[in-house]
Amino acid sequence: DAKTTQPNSMESNEEEPVHLPCNHSTISGTDYIHWYRQLPSQGPEYVIHGLTSNVNNRMASLAIAEDRKSSTLILHRATLRDAAVYYCILEGPDYGQNFVFGPGTRLSVLP
Amino acid sequence: DSGVTQTPKHLITATGQRVTLRCSPRSGDLSVYWYQQSLDQGLQFLIQYYNGEERAKGNILERFSAQQFPDLHSELNLSSLELGDSALYFCASSGPHSTDTQYFGPGTRLTVL
């Protein structure tokens, strides 16, 4: 299984930036890095994905290390609604779109 | 709203029984995935269908089966239910490409008593 490692939990203050790290030292050259999040009592939702270059969208930014062995999801201004479990997932030819969800990082946002 | 619908929202049944969970994918999505989320195992991939054909199998028990119909909706059948099958069951759908986003439904909460 594609292996990613994330901290179990993190805390942030509202309206401050949040950097959520993910280690994926066994990533192969064709693996994409996906981030999903799961709000309380909901199904997971897509946040962002990338391959090699940093990516930005309206929700977040994804910073990928040059050696691709780690990545960081950046929420530029955390809101209370961003409190969720964030999952970093690898997807590639060996396991297709069949995501292997780890325990993720539980993000708490303090008002 | 992801556009993926799942019914029923809640299901309570007894051990040994059989249930069917239903999923309607987003319009135009050909791939359907089933996931199980329990407290002790987290989110686990069960099975994927693409345009009616089984494409990949994960940690799906032999007591569980699934199918995708010509109208692309999918059903997950769980039989000989055990207490440990109590969980949230999510369906997701996506387009045909490997990097297409998976859109998850709201889930069906199954309680086996």
Side-chain angles (χ1 to χ4, degrees), chain B residues 90-109:
Chain B
F90 290 105
C91 166
S93 75
S94 76
H97 306 295
S98 62
T99 57
D100 284 342
T101 297
Q102 287 192 27
Y103 294 89
F104 284 76
T108 292
R109 182 173 292 282

Side-chain angles (χ1 to χ4, degrees), chain B residues 44-57:
Chain B
Q44 301 244 329
F45 165 72
L46 295 178
I47 197 163
Q48 177 198 4
Y49 277 82
Y50 177 79
N51 202 20
E53 300 287 327
E54 182 185 304
R55 181 173 259 190
K57 238 174 179 173

Side-chain angles (χ1 to χ4, degrees), chain B residues 16 21 29 37 42-44 49 57 61 71 74-75 81 89 92 99 101 105:
Chain B
L21 313 183
D29 283 353
Q37 186 171 36
L43 259 166
Q44 301 244 329
Y49 277 82
K57 238 174 179 173
L61 299 172
D71 67 352
S74 177
E75 291 181 355
L81 285 167
Y89 291 84
T99 57
T101 297

Side-chain angles (χ1 to χ4, degrees), chain B:
Chain B
D1 183 359
S2 67
V4 177
T5 59
Q6 289 187 247
T7 56
K9 284 187 88 165
H10 301 276
L11 201 46
I12 302 174
T13 188
T15 54
Q17 295 298 305
R18 173 189 170 96
V19 297
T20 298
L21 313 183
R22 182 187 168 104
C23 168
S24 293
R26 289 189 336 142
S27 176
D29 283 353
L30 300 179
S31 278
V32 169
Y33 311 78
W34 286 98
Y35 292 86
Q36 178 193 57
Q37 186 171 36
S38 59
L39 281 174
D40 55 345
Q41 294 284 331
L43 259 166
Q44 301 244 329
F45 165 72
L46 295 178
I47 197 163
Q48 177 198 4
Y49 277 82
Y50 177 79
N51 202 20
E53 300 287 327
E54 182 185 304
R55 181 173 259 190
K57 238 174 179 173
N59 301 318
I60 189 165
L61 299 172
E62 283 191 18
R63 299 184 285 109
F64 296 180
S65 65
Q67 52 184 326
Q68 186 179 27
F69 294 87
D71 67 352
L72 300 177
H73 92 270
S74 177
E75 291 181 355
L76 179 67
N77 301 296
L78 314 177
S79 61
S80 302
L81 285 167
E82 302 175 359
L83 296 177
D85 298 328
S86 295
L88 265 169
Y89 291 84
F90 290 105
C91 166
S93 75
S94 76
H97 306 295
S98 62
T99 57
D100 284 342
T101 297
Q102 287 192 27
Y103 294 89
F104 284 76
T108 292
R109 182 173 292 282
L110 173 66
T111 303
V112 182
L113 300 176

